[in-house]
Amino acid sequence: EIKEENGKTFFVVDGLETNDEDDYKGELTLTIDEKVKFLYQKEEIDISKIKIGQNISIIHSGKIVTKHDVLVAPFIYEIEILDTIK
C-alpha cells in the first residue's frame, strides 16, 4: 500500500517470512523521503514506477523499531524493484 499523510509518503509492505530476523517479517511501514533512491536493474527510476504488489528490496540503516504497534525502518536509502516492470 502507498499512503500519503500530512505531506509525507509511506509504503506499507509485508516483510517476507524468509527474512533472517523476525523484525523484518510481517507488516512494515516505511517513511519515504526525497533522499530515497528507487532502482530497477540498478538504474534510478521515478517513484511512479512502483506498483502495489511488486516485490522490492529495501536498503536501510539502523534497526527496525516498533512505533504505535507498527514496525518502522529508521532511514531508507534505496528501494529496488525485483519484479519485471511492464
Side-chain angles (χ1 to χ4, degrees), residues 27-43:
E27 185 174 284
L28 305 170
T29 299
L30 310 173
T31 303
I32 307 301
D33 66 20
E34 67 280 350
K35 296 175 188 169
V36 175
K37 290 183 182 178
F38 296 92
L39 305 172
Y40 176 66
Q41 297 182 343
K42 306 296 180 196
E43 297 289 327

Side-chain angles (χ1 to χ4, degrees), residues 66-83:
T66 302
K67 184 176 183 180
H68 304 291
D69 296 326
V70 176
L71 295 173
V72 181
F75 183 77
I76 308 296
Y77 291 108
E78 296 176 353
I79 294 178
E80 182 171 3
I81 298 174
L82 302 176
D83 298 330

Side-chain angles (χ1 to χ4, degrees), residues 32-59:
I32 307 301
D33 66 20
E34 67 280 350
K35 296 175 188 169
V36 175
K37 290 183 182 178
F38 296 92
L39 305 172
Y40 176 66
Q41 297 182 343
K42 306 296 180 196
E43 297 289 327
E44 198 162 344
I45 60 170
D46 188 74
I47 189 174
S48 66
K49 298 286 187 184
I50 305 282
K51 303 295 181 213
I52 293 172
Q54 288 176 318
N55 289 306
I56 59 174
S57 173
I58 301 164
I59 314 274

